[in-house]
Amino acid sequence: MKLHLVAALAVLSSTPALADMRVSIPFAAEIGGKAFSCSETYAGLGSTGAEVKAVDFRLFVSNAALVRKDGTLQPITLDQDGQWQTGSTALIDFEDASGGCTNGTKALNTTLRGIVPAGEYQGLSFTVGVPFEINHGDPTLAPAPLNTTAMFWNWQGGYKFVRIDMVPTDRKEDGPKGWFLHLGSTQCDAASKTESPKACKNGNRIDVQLDSFRPDGSTVVIDPAPVVAGADLRVNAPETSPGCMAFPKDPDCMTVMTKLGLPYMDVAAGPQALVSLR
Amino acid sequence: MRRLLQTAAASVWLAVAVHPAAAETFVWPLPAWMPPPVVPGDNAMTAAKVDLGRHLFYDARLSADGTVACVSCHVQERAFTDGRPTSVGIDGTTGHLNAPSLANAAYLPVLTWANPHMTTLEFQALVPLFGEAPVEMGGAGREVEIFARLAADPYYATAFAAAFPERPQPDLFTVTRALAAFQRSIVSVASPYDRFKYGGQSDALSEAAQRGEQLFFDHRLECYHCHSGIHFTNNLKTIRTSTGGGEAGYHNTGLHDPYPDAAPGLIEITGREADAGRFRTPSLRNVALTAPYMHDGSIPDLRGVLEHYARGGRAGSHPQKDGMIVGFEVSPREVDDLIAFLESLKDETLIHNPALADPWPEDHPARARRVMP
């Protein structure tokens, strides 16, 4: 899959929008540095060098902002397109329902589109995840893309922020169905049984800072290979969900969450290794 | 007077059962002593919606591969449970929890075994439909295909329009609303015990069952502390509930120590150590039909359950074990009496009510590939 890598950047001609600048930030999905495709296989992954097919690759990003020269943040006002972007949240979708991506959608969404005041910017920041304020609503009433059932996580509370599903090509007949990386908030307590959660013990949102981002040429790369580098993708701890789904006490998550920049059980957060810039 | 009221209620029931779609407004098949359940503001009960929900409930085309319907884990003859220790979804995926009875689910302020966020049947329906940990009906990412499948069925073409005139197509909103409306109609308040207690029929219970009732409500056994009230559970909300969310009881009954990570209790969601092993108290109505027992189906029969409580829990030392699980001594005859009482909570009208039965013909695509327990 060839991604368009050009960052569209245009000064609008009409006033008073003269001072506005349109941004379209390209995202690329890769696995071990190789472009993601639903029909591709990827070798040398995880602690045992597993070969996998990838069957889903989607993530929510929110609260994107460009960084001004003085280091302050300029939030990007996202286009409200009725399909991929709502409020400050967007679903980035790299799977096209082909090949092994049987639970996918044909349509792709590989850019973040919006408007900022014209100016000079030298960095990008965003959150991987859905903001808490909209994460715990009723998905049957939510606008797109928050009605995407593949990203539902409501049995825990909220949405899956990241969904990257990998299936080892040499998996045993009775082995785990795959090694799925699902990230979402866990342990969300509520004050009473008639209210949405007040807070989640593990919000599990990834704050991303990309300092050398250039609006006219940078691409945001999402690659799970460094995140799962310490995990054996051919096995799954008994009685836990296949892969790492962020649930507490899952041995499959022990080496993984820290590389998403998140604390997990007694392992401290390390630098996030999922998102980089090119 | 009580007899009169009961007769009136019975005739209402009959009207609903015989002409399910005739009336626009839904009439609760309830006797006068039972207040109706609370209905969410965006999902008023109508006969058309309940009928649509019944068709959806029995339709395996709601699952990714057309093999699992709601009824695959909630069978009418078993008071809408499945007889298995833990439920099975598509591709033979086994879950970690025992399918709870749906009878009187409308009265529960919070659904499922141990998730405080499941406060409506509408929201809860998303779990079996789209859940992935574990997979049940496998619908995640398949909603367009599933709703198109439904829309192509001639019954649904008119039924969605009748139930949702403003929004006449299968989608996340209408499907979950209709399923919830049907489940709310699954009420069960016509057991021999109800006739004895509320209907003035003193001969509706055997003498053994009457002795069992006294034991059940006795301080020695403490059964009624959790299995209290009109549905024999300390989870209740009706239109007369004045305490907002209603009463919701969760308890650690000393079943395991520690509880396995796959089904750790309320702590899974709240993260509070005090919630380890705490599961919602199930109703005991129709309990004779809902074996095996406990949240994980780990006790095969009622005698085993009584033994468990008599011992004060299988894992006597769990630090979070409820203070009411103290153990007791009972004679074999007393156990027989208790079981006679529990069997008197069986409602034959629930399992034979045609308004709750499978509406699809045997060879219909809705059930052609449907797997039953």
Side-chain angles (χ1 to χ4, degrees):
Chain A
M1 182 176 55
K2 176 78 178 159
L3 293 171
H4 52 101
L5 301 178
V6 184
L9 178 68
V11 178
L12 298 183
S13 55
S14 61
T15 51
L18 184 63
D20 283 345
M21 187 168 95
R22 172 152 286 282
V23 291
S24 179
I25 299 168
F27 280 66
E30 298 181 350
I31 295 179
K34 186 165 145 188
F36 163 75
S37 151
C38 294
S39 9
E40 199 57 68
T41 53
Y42 302 88
L45 293 171
S47 61
T48 59
E51 184 186 75
V52 304
K53 280 183 173 296
V55 299
D56 211 327
F57 205 131
R58 289 179 254 194
L59 69 158
F60 279 110
V61 301
S62 56
N63 297 324
L66 295 184
V67 184
R68 299 188 193 92
K69 282 201 154 174
D70 65 0
T72 57
L73 294 182
Q74 171 55 56
I76 302 170
T77 305
L78 296 187
D79 301 344
Q80 303 296 293
D81 62 10
Q83 185 181 6
W84 301 109
Q85 307 193 139
T86 184
S88 77
T89 303
L91 178 63
I92 305 292
D93 182 345
F94 297 107
E95 57 68 33
D96 59 5
S98 69
C101 297
T102 47
N103 285 6
T105 51
K106 280 205 179 71
L108 298 168
N109 186 47
T110 60
T111 59
L112 194 64
R113 299 169 303 281
I115 284 175
V116 290
E120 282 193 59
Y121 299 103
Q122 58 176 21
L124 171 69
S125 82
F126 59 85
T127 301
V128 174
V130 176
F132 179 80
E133 302 73 49
I134 58 169
N135 195 36
H136 299 280
D138 181 347
T140 70
L141 303 172
L146 298 171
N147 59 358
T148 308
T149 63
M151 302 304 278
F152 284 6
W153 177 264
N154 47 275
W155 46 99
Q156 287 285 315
Y159 294 86
K160 297 184 191 86
F161 303 155
V162 174
R163 171 178 199 135
I164 301 175
D165 292 357
M166 292 174 279
V167 179
T169 52
D170 61 349
R171 83 177 192 93
K172 290 195 198 112
E173 187 67 23
D174 59 346
K177 296 193 169 191
W179 204 98
F180 303 145
L181 178 61
H182 292 181
L183 180 66
S185 296
T186 62
Q187 299 190 329
C188 302
D189 204 357
S192 82
K193 286 165 290 294
T194 53
E195 292 168 65
S196 294
K198 281 273 179 276
C200 298
K201 204 161 280 181
N202 310 302
N204 289 340
R205 291 177 185 80
I206 309 171
D207 287 321
V208 178
Q209 304 279 343
L210 300 169
D211 291 334
S212 56
F213 176 81
R214 287 175 295 114
D216 60 346
S218 298
T219 295
V220 178
V221 179
I222 313 293
D223 189 336
V227 175
V228 301
D232 184 348
L233 303 190
R234 291 195 186 92
V235 302
N236 186 59
E239 299 289 294
T240 69
S241 24
C244 170
M245 297 195 183
F247 305 139
K249 297 190 188 173
D250 184 346
D252 304 307
C253 286
M254 292 308 281
T255 66
V256 172
M257 297 293 280
T258 180
K259 297 194 176 85
L260 290 170
L262 300 166
Y264 181 77
M265 307 303 290
D266 55 357
V267 184
Q272 73 82 14
L274 179 68
V275 186
S276 63
L277 208 56
R278 186 172 57 217
Chain B
M1 184 59 194
R2 273 194 176 159
R3 285 283 176 120
L4 250 175
L5 283 176
Q6 209 200 11
T7 313
S11 59
V12 165
W13 176 295
L14 214 73
V16 171
V18 176
H19 306 292
E24 243 324 288
T25 50
F26 178 80
V27 181
W28 290 104
L30 292 169
W33 52 264
M34 188 66 223
V38 177
V39 173
D42 69 356
N43 198 20
M45 295 288 280
T46 65
K49 204 186 287 176
V50 170
D51 190 58
L52 168 62
R54 177 162 70 117
H55 284 79
L56 291 168
F57 184 88
Y58 284 96
D59 193 336
R61 292 173 297 179
L62 257 67
S63 62
D65 62 359
T67 62
V68 175
C70 304
V71 69
S72 298
C73 299
H74 299 284
V75 183
Q76 184 179 16
E77 302 88 86
R78 297 178 182 272
F80 296 93
T81 62
D82 64 6
R84 307 173 178 120
T86 60
S87 294
V88 180
I90 63 163
D91 301 331
T93 312
T94 307
H96 303 295
L97 296 169
N98 180 256
S101 172
L102 300 183
N104 304 313
Y107 290 98
L108 294 173
V110 55
L111 287 308
T112 76
W113 281 106
N115 190 331
H117 303 322
M118 295 294 151
T119 54
T120 66
L121 287 161
E122 287 79 358
F123 189 74
Q124 188 277 329
L126 297 170
V127 178
L129 284 169
F130 302 111
E132 296 186 274
V135 173
E136 296 184 56
M137 296 168 80
R142 303 284 189 92
E143 71 272 25
V144 173
E145 169 193 340
I146 289 169
F147 295 148
R149 223 185 272 163
L150 299 180
D153 185 287
Y155 166 78
Y156 289 126
T158 54
F160 274 93
F164 300 97
E166 314 281 307
R167 190 174 179 149
Q169 70 279 334
D171 62 22
L172 284 174
F173 181 90
T174 55
V175 167
T176 55
R177 264 61 187 176
L179 283 171
F182 170 64
Q183 290 175 84
R184 282 197 184 93
S185 79
I186 306 175
V187 291
S188 172
V189 286
S191 66
Y193 185 72
D194 292 307
R195 293 200 297 276
F196 171 80
K197 193 75 184 171
Y198 305 102
Q201 279 185 41
S202 55
D203 60 348
L205 284 202
S206 68
E207 285 184 15
Q210 291 185 42
R211 288 193 301 271
E213 183 202 14
Q214 295 308 310
L215 284 167
F216 185 88
F217 287 102
D218 188 272
H219 282 295
R220 176 158 58 107
L221 275 69
E222 299 286 19
C223 309
Y224 76 100
H225 266 105
C226 301
H227 296 287
S228 56
I230 210 151
H231 290 319
F232 301 90
T233 167
N234 51 1
N235 289 256
L236 182 70
K237 189 178 179 181
T238 78
I239 57 162
R240 292 189 200 150
T241 301
S242 56
T243 52
E247 190 189 6
Y250 295 81
H251 304 275
N252 176 325
T253 62
L255 193 62
H256 302 289
D257 185 20
Y259 281 74
D261 290 340
L266 207 49
I267 187 177
E268 178 184 358
I269 306 298
T270 66
R272 283 194 298 244
E273 202 50 49
D275 287 334
R278 289 181 72 206
F279 292 88
R280 185 179 55 74
T281 314
S283 168
L284 296 186
R285 285 187 173 275
N286 304 294
V287 71
L289 298 168
T290 64
Y293 300 104
M294 319 311 272
H295 70 274
D296 55 2
S298 59
I299 302 185
D301 54 30
L302 287 173
R303 266 169 216 282
V305 176
L306 290 172
E307 276 166 34
H308 163 76
Y309 287 120
R311 276 202 309 268
R314 214 158 40 183
S317 62
H318 194 288
Q320 256 60 266
K321 191 180 78 171
D322 195 281
M324 286 294 169
I325 314 286
V326 291
F328 49 82
E329 281 185 25
V330 275
S331 70
R333 188 188 126 146
E334 286 174 323
V335 169
D336 290 345
D337 290 348
L338 275 162
I339 286 173
F341 166 68
L342 292 171
E343 283 175 347
S344 80
L345 303 178
K346 179 163 73 179
D347 178 357
E348 294 284 342
T349 69
L350 172 75
I351 57 177
H352 296 119
N353 182 358
L356 304 178
D358 191 347
W360 298 107
E362 209 162 298
D363 54 349
H364 193 280
R367 59 183 282 192
R369 303 178 54 222
R370 193 177 69 195
V371 173
M372 295 294 283

